[in-house]
């Protein structure tokens, strides 16, 4: 906690120096470009959150006033490209009022880009996205921009009819109490910026929410409060997340993006068991062949067996490489340099979490491939 407080103070001091420089030099012709450069630095500056005295459970709900049309979001032949790279091949999807959808996949698969297409911030490369009548959307971006003004101004400027007591009471529900409401936006940590954005979304009362990695930068208590609020939300929810607990808690379909293709799974459990179909089909095929007597071991079987051997070897190599990488990550996480850097520690832990998830996928695929290979060998012997 002492290290975290020290890092927080250093980050705040740096932010204040940048603000002072911008204020002094922005209007001077000779230094305008330098001031604009400092402004970009300030916007990207990550401020470590100050340690709290104890657990703080936040109590808030997402609600809406306007009930939209039932067919709330329609995707037809939607495709996304960036340059020559195809992020998503054409696919169709319809999301109805009150439904939830998690967008998941490995890093760099295009999850955030897809969400930006769905919420209207980016144009698709092909196909169309149509919002239903009555849709009122709120957007939570993965990286919250640095704000000007004070915390209390973020709410008061948008809802000027609120009294100071009403604004402060609302902010207190999101952990901003006492003098915290007068904190400058430039001094807020990533977690505080996220909590402030959730405070705005609650007042916006959307019936459709687009959330990009909403649990990033949050401590465990805020994550639990947000998870409960999203579980209770009766509107339509689309979110990108790598948070396994959140995925499982929402108990909703998952759109998994990988290598340019989008596959829809009914639940988190279905996603985890997505390689089981091939394993189930192999015994059925063997049984059907067995009913007709001894099956001929033909050209197709030999081709498939060669494919299995090649894929097994590739998966085994990937498992070995990933295992070594995970060991390196664990060593980095336990190093003094990373432990002293709150933000870097969170980044490394998230990377380790994603790596372990992918490792579990590879082991599952390896087991199914091995079962299918053994079945072919048994058929050959028979």
């Amino acid at each position: 906690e002492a290290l975290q407080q020290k890092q927080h103070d250093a980050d705040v001091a740096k932010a204040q120096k940048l603000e002072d420089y911008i204020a002094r030099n922005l209007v001077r012709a000779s230094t305008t470009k330098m001031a604009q450069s400092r402004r970009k630095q300030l916007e990207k500056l990550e401020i470590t959150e100050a340690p709290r005295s104890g657990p703080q459970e936040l109590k808030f709900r997402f609600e809406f006033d306007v009930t939209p049309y039932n067919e709330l979001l329609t995707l037809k032949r939607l495709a996304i490209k960036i340059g020559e790279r195809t992020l998503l091949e054409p696919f169709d999807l319809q999301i109805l009022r009150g439904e939830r959808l998690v967008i998941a996949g490995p890093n760099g698969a295009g999850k955030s880009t897809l969400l930006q297409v769905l919420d209207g911030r980016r144009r698709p490369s092909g196909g169309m996205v149509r919002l239903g009548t009555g849709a009122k959307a709120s957007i939570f971006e993965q990286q919250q921009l640095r704000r000007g003004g004070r915390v209390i101004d973020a709410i008061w400027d948008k809802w000027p009819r609120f009294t100071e007591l009403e604004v402060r009471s609302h902010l207190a529900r999101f952990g901003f109490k006492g003098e915290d409401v007068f904190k400058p936006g430039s001094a807020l940590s990533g977690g505080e910026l996220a909590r402030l954005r959730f405070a705005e979304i609650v007042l916006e009362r959307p019936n459709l929410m687009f959330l990009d990695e909403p649990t990033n930068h949050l401590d465990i208590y805020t994550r639990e409060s947000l998870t409960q609020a999203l579980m209770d939300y009766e509107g339509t929810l689309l979110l990108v997340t790598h948070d396994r607990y959140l995925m499982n808690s929402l108990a909703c379909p998952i759109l998994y993006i990988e290598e340019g293709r989008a596959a829809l799974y009914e639940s988190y459990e279905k996603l985890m068991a997505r390689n089981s179909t091939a394993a189930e089909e192999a015994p059925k095929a063997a049984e059907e062949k067995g009913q007709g007597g001894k099956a001929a071991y033909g050209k197709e079987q030999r081709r498939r067996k060669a494919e299995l051997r090649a894929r097994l070897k590739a998966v085994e190599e990937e498992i070995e490489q990933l295992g070594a990488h995970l060991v390196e990550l664990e060593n980095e996480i336990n190093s003094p340099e990373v432990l002293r850097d709150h933000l870097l520690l969170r980044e490394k832990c998230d990377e380790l979490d994603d790596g372990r998830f992918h490792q579990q996928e590879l082991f599952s695929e390896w087991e199914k491939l091995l079962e299918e290979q053994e079945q072919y060998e048994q058929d050959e012997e028979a």
Side-chain angles (χ1 to χ4, degrees):
E1 288 183 357
L3 285 170
Q4 189 175 339
Q5 183 65 55
K6 186 177 180 181
Q7 185 64 50
H8 170 78
D9 294 341
D11 292 342
V12 170
K14 184 177 180 181
Q16 289 173 343
K17 285 181 181 178
L18 289 171
E19 274 194 326
D20 291 342
Y21 184 91
I22 293 165
R24 290 196 313 270
N25 296 280
L26 191 59
V27 295
R28 295 170 57 188
S30 61
T31 55
T32 296
K33 286 187 178 179
M34 293 172 67
Q36 289 173 342
S37 176
R38 297 292 198 284
R39 177 180 282 174
K40 289 180 180 179
Q41 289 181 36
L42 181 61
E43 288 176 352
K44 294 179 180 179
L45 180 63
E46 282 283 357
I47 296 180
T48 303
E49 187 164 0
R52 296 195 235 176
S53 57
Q56 295 185 15
E57 183 183 358
L58 309 183
K59 294 183 179 180
F60 60 92
R61 291 176 60 87
F62 296 111
E63 297 177 331
F64 60 90
D65 301 316
V66 179
T67 302
Y69 187 64
N70 187 48
E71 295 177 352
L72 193 55
L73 190 65
T74 303
L75 284 60
K76 289 187 177 179
R77 303 296 296 164
L78 181 68
I80 303 174
K81 287 185 177 181
I82 295 182
E84 297 298 318
R85 183 188 173 202
T86 299
L87 283 183
L88 266 178
E89 296 173 356
F91 75 104
D92 299 337
L93 186 66
Q94 187 166 76
I95 298 168
L96 303 180
R97 180 181 63 229
E99 290 185 339
R100 303 166 179 165
L101 179 70
V102 168
I103 301 172
N107 291 335
K111 305 183 293 295
S112 295
T113 304
L114 172 59
L115 197 68
Q116 289 170 8
V117 170
L118 299 183
D119 65 33
R121 286 180 291 159
R122 182 188 287 265
R123 293 177 62 85
S125 305
M128 55 84 73
V129 178
R130 184 177 66 238
L131 277 178
T133 304
K136 183 182 178 183
S138 284
I139 298 170
F140 179 93
E141 299 182 48
Q142 182 177 164
Q143 190 67 41
Q144 297 293 311
L145 293 177
R146 188 71 47 205
R147 296 165 177 257
R150 305 170 300 174
V151 169
I152 194 170
D153 298 326
I155 304 298
W156 224 344
D157 289 349
K158 291 185 177 180
W159 291 273
R161 293 187 178 182
F162 284 6
T163 65
E164 181 176 347
L165 178 60
E166 288 173 329
V167 175
R168 296 187 68 159
S169 296
H170 180 68
L171 287 169
R173 295 160 63 193
F174 295 86
F176 297 103
K177 299 178 180 179
E179 294 301 308
D180 286 346
V181 302
F182 301 116
K183 247 183 176 181
S186 59
L188 297 182
S189 68
E192 289 170 323
L193 284 170
R195 285 191 275 122
L196 184 54
R197 178 62 191 134
F198 290 133
E200 292 175 327
I201 291 175
V202 166
L203 293 176
E204 289 168 2
R205 302 181 72 82
N207 52 36
L208 171 61
M209 290 201 292
F210 297 98
L211 310 181
D212 191 357
E213 298 288 6
T215 58
N216 277 10
H217 307 296
L218 302 183
D219 60 43
I220 188 169
Y221 307 107
T222 308
R223 286 189 183 202
E224 289 177 355
S225 299
L226 176 63
T227 299
Q228 188 59 54
L230 293 177
M231 289 169 63
D232 294 338
Y233 180 55
E234 296 181 358
T236 306
L237 177 63
L238 288 90
L239 75 157
V240 171
T241 185
H242 65 267
D243 189 323
R244 317 292 179 234
Y245 175 72
L246 180 58
M247 280 189 210
N248 201 29
S249 298
L250 289 176
C252 66
I254 296 174
L255 188 70
Y256 194 82
I257 301 172
E258 190 173 28
E259 297 179 352
R261 292 183 294 274
L264 189 65
Y265 298 92
E266 294 178 11
S267 63
Y268 178 71
E269 289 76 14
K270 294 288 185 181
L271 171 65
M272 296 303 295
R274 67 186 184 279
N275 293 315
S276 63
T277 305
E280 291 173 0
E281 289 175 352
K284 290 179 182 177
E287 184 179 346
E288 289 170 2
K289 288 192 295 182
Q291 290 173 353
K294 186 174 181 179
Y297 194 77
K299 183 178 179 181
E300 181 62 27
Q301 286 80 4
R302 288 194 298 272
R303 183 193 64 79
R304 176 56 184 159
K305 194 173 179 183
E307 286 180 355
L308 284 171
R309 283 197 302 268
R311 181 57 188 159
L312 269 169
K313 183 179 179 181
V315 170
E316 287 168 356
E317 289 176 355
E318 191 173 355
I319 288 173
E320 186 176 352
Q321 292 170 3
L322 181 59
H325 179 59
L326 293 180
V327 170
E328 289 178 5
L329 271 177
E330 289 171 348
N331 291 333
E332 288 177 19
I333 287 170
N334 290 317
S335 69
E337 293 80 8
V338 174
L339 289 173
R340 281 196 296 266
D341 190 330
H342 177 66
L343 294 173
L344 182 59
L345 179 61
R346 173 65 62 82
E347 182 183 324
K348 293 291 183 182
C349 286
D350 286 344
E351 186 181 351
L352 183 63
D353 189 26
D354 285 340
R356 284 173 174 164
F357 180 64
H358 186 46
Q359 186 182 50
Q360 191 173 356
E361 293 176 321
L362 290 171
F363 277 127
S364 179
E365 183 183 0
W366 180 80
E367 289 175 356
K368 305 312 180 225
L369 290 169
L370 198 62
E371 287 176 9
E372 188 176 353
Q373 186 185 55
E374 289 173 353
Q375 187 64 54
Y376 275 116
E377 289 173 353
Q378 289 175 9
D379 292 341
E380 187 179 12
E381 292 172 359

